[in-house]
Amino acid sequence: MPQISLGETQFACPGDETLLDALLKANLRIPYSCRQGVCQSCLMRCLNVAPPANSQTGLKDTLQRQNYFLACRCYPEQDMTVALPDQQTFAVNAVVIKKQLLAPDILRLVLQYETPLEFYAGQFINLRRGDGLTRSYSIAISPQTGNLLEFHIRRLPQGQFSNWAHGELAIGSPVTLSQAQGNCYYLPGNHGQPLLLIGTGSGLAPLYGIINDALNQGHNGVIHLFHGSRNADGLYLSDELRKLEEKFANFQYTACLSEKHSKPGFAQGRAHDLALADKDSLKGWRVYLCGHPEMVKHSQKMAYLKGASLKDIYADAFIAGK
Ligand SMILES: Cc1cc2nc3c(=O)[nH]c(=O)nc-3n(C[C@H](O)[C@H](O)[C@H](O)COP(=O)(O)OP(=O)(O)OC[C@H]3O[C@@H](n4cnc5c(N)ncnc54)[C@H](O)[C@@H]3O)c2cc1C
């Protein structure tokens, strides 16, 4: 059985167990969140051998070459000496400057970052609390707005990070951030391409950033947003989005309520069903899908079947770990 060394601690990792599970069993506290290789919170480095190839999937080439890997994807095949990433390389310091409830369960959290940071609206960042608890949140603001980051955090009933962010986290508090990650963002260069954006709940966050970024950069093709929620409270920022619709002739906003209603101005049904039924063909469209993992997975398939090219489908599934 492969032996693992982390600092002074040594333990065995059975072949059917991920390194992350073995670390947690050994009571070693390391950051993690989605457990599915998406959020990259459990990034580690192997100091003695090359880590298994599967554990490096999705990492940048530069990180792969330095033997970084994801603990949640790593089934050790030989003895490994591992370490947490160098804090200097990954830590971005930020401070909370604004908290605002956009809906009863959605917090707008605005941070000012003090360390240089490169990002695109729509990418995600791992936020880390003082005790190491780490969660991913999508960037809802474009980089042109100075040293600011905006996140929309949905409060889950038992959620550790989201409850802390809604409650205890105070204005002026420091928060540590990772570098921005993910490829769900607006790429300039094809200004006339039609864009279809579908999001549920706080899945609006990256889409809101992407839409503002695209409009600021002079995108002149159709930009059609479908935002879905069970009830009207969940369709936050609807006034801002309707104003944006008045200002930009190429922007359309469809607010979708899945519960039965007779409210004027709201479509009846699930956002992805309505969006996909609305377009005869998605050939030539760029499609962004964000929020509930099942909605994202289903819509990816449907968008492809409706003619969107795989390279034009960008997805951000908000996977919550167990
Ligand atoms: C790439 C990426 C981007 C993300 N972006 C955002 C974002 O912009 N905004 C945002 O709000 N979240 C986002 N998330 C999700 C976020 O990272 C956290 O997983 C989420 O906030 C829950 O963390 P928590 O610590 O509050 O809950 P945890 O303490 O981790 O508990 C989560 C628990 O809640 C359960 N659960 C999962 N979904 C629900 C649900 N719908 N209702 C009730 N319980 C549920 C899970 O099974 C789990 O047991 C993103 C995730 C990823 C991977």
Side-chain angles (χ1 to χ4, degrees):
M1 197 182 299
Q3 296 296 308
I4 309 299
S5 307
L6 172 63
E8 300 296 299
T9 314
Q10 294 195 342
F11 57 95
C13 182
D16 59 350
E17 206 163 77
T18 66
L19 181 63
L20 176 62
D21 287 331
L23 285 162
L24 295 175
K25 259 195 197 163
N27 287 324
L28 292 162
R29 291 178 58 150
I30 74 146
Y32 71 96
S33 182
C34 79
R35 287 174 176 258
Q36 296 188 32
V38 176
C39 73
Q40 304 189 0
S41 303
C42 61
L43 187 73
M44 297 190 81
R45 190 173 186 186
C46 188
L47 304 177
N48 62 328
V49 290
N54 276 351
S55 65
Q56 295 192 301
T57 307
L59 293 184
K60 288 183 183 148
D61 292 355
T62 45
L63 293 179
Q64 290 190 7
R65 264 185 257 124
Q66 296 172 74
N67 284 344
Y68 282 97
F69 68 97
L70 299 174
C72 73
R73 287 308 215 193
C74 178
Y75 292 90
E77 292 155 358
Q78 54 188 317
D79 293 352
M80 292 174 79
T81 303
V82 298
L84 286 170
D86 175 3
Q87 294 302 320
Q88 296 308 315
T89 317
F90 290 90
V92 172
N93 297 320
V95 65
V96 179
I97 61 161
K98 185 176 172 186
K99 284 178 73 175
Q100 176 194 4
L101 270 189
L102 295 172
D105 62 347
I106 306 270
L107 170 73
R108 173 185 255 160
L109 179 70
V110 182
L111 306 181
Q112 187 160 39
Y113 52 92
E114 293 157 350
T115 320
L117 178 68
E118 278 185 25
F119 67 91
Y120 294 98
Q123 285 190 296
F124 69 91
I125 280 187
N126 292 325
L127 276 63
R128 188 163 300 176
R129 199 167 75 173
D131 64 357
L133 183 73
T134 305
R135 295 289 181 267
S136 315
Y137 294 100
S138 308
I139 305 170
I141 195 168
S142 48
Q144 290 88 343
T145 34
N147 284 16
L148 298 182
L149 285 168
E150 173 177 326
F151 303 100
H152 302 165
I153 301 182
R154 179 167 168 240
R155 186 175 208 152
L156 292 185
Q158 307 297 328
Q160 296 174 74
F161 197 100
S162 58
N163 274 291
W164 170 76
H166 276 247
E168 272 169 72
L169 180 61
I171 305 290
S173 302
V175 184
T176 307
L177 313 176
S178 72
Q179 298 293 333
Q181 297 164 45
N183 64 0
C184 188
Y185 55 85
Y186 176 73
L187 275 176
N190 193 353
H191 281 165
Q193 186 176 24
L195 310 184
L196 174 65
L197 306 101
I198 308 174
T200 47
S202 55
L204 178 64
L207 303 181
Y208 191 69
I210 289 167
I211 289 164
N212 280 297
D213 207 17
L215 292 170
N216 286 341
Q217 296 202 46
H219 192 90
N220 52 23
V222 169
I223 303 178
H224 196 162
L225 166 69
F226 287 78
H227 183 212
S229 172
R230 206 167 303 141
N231 52 46
D233 275 348
L235 294 175
Y236 65 97
L237 290 176
S238 55
D239 289 347
E240 283 81 349
L241 289 162
R242 291 195 204 284
K243 278 187 200 138
L244 215 55
E245 231 182 347
E246 282 164 22
K247 190 169 167 195
F248 294 94
N250 61 328
F251 175 60
Q252 295 168 39
Y253 165 55
T254 304
C256 312
L257 286 177
S258 57
E259 72 179 13
K260 274 223 168 329
H261 71 90
S262 52
K263 291 190 176 76
F266 295 92
Q268 166 80 65
R270 297 186 304 176
H272 60 287
D273 292 336
L274 293 169
L276 293 160
D278 187 66
K279 312 290 174 211
D280 292 334
S281 163
L282 289 175
K283 194 162 191 290
W285 284 71
R286 202 186 308 172
V287 182
Y288 293 93
L289 307 163
C290 300
H292 198 283
E294 275 166 37
M295 181 284 285
V296 167
K297 198 171 162 203
H298 173 75
S299 305
Q300 263 174 320
K301 190 171 151 200
M302 296 309 292
Y304 175 68
L305 291 176
K306 279 224 154 188
S309 152
L310 278 181
K311 70 168 179 41
D312 278 332
I313 303 176
Y314 297 85
D316 217 349
F318 287 4
I319 298 160
K322 291 243 162 45

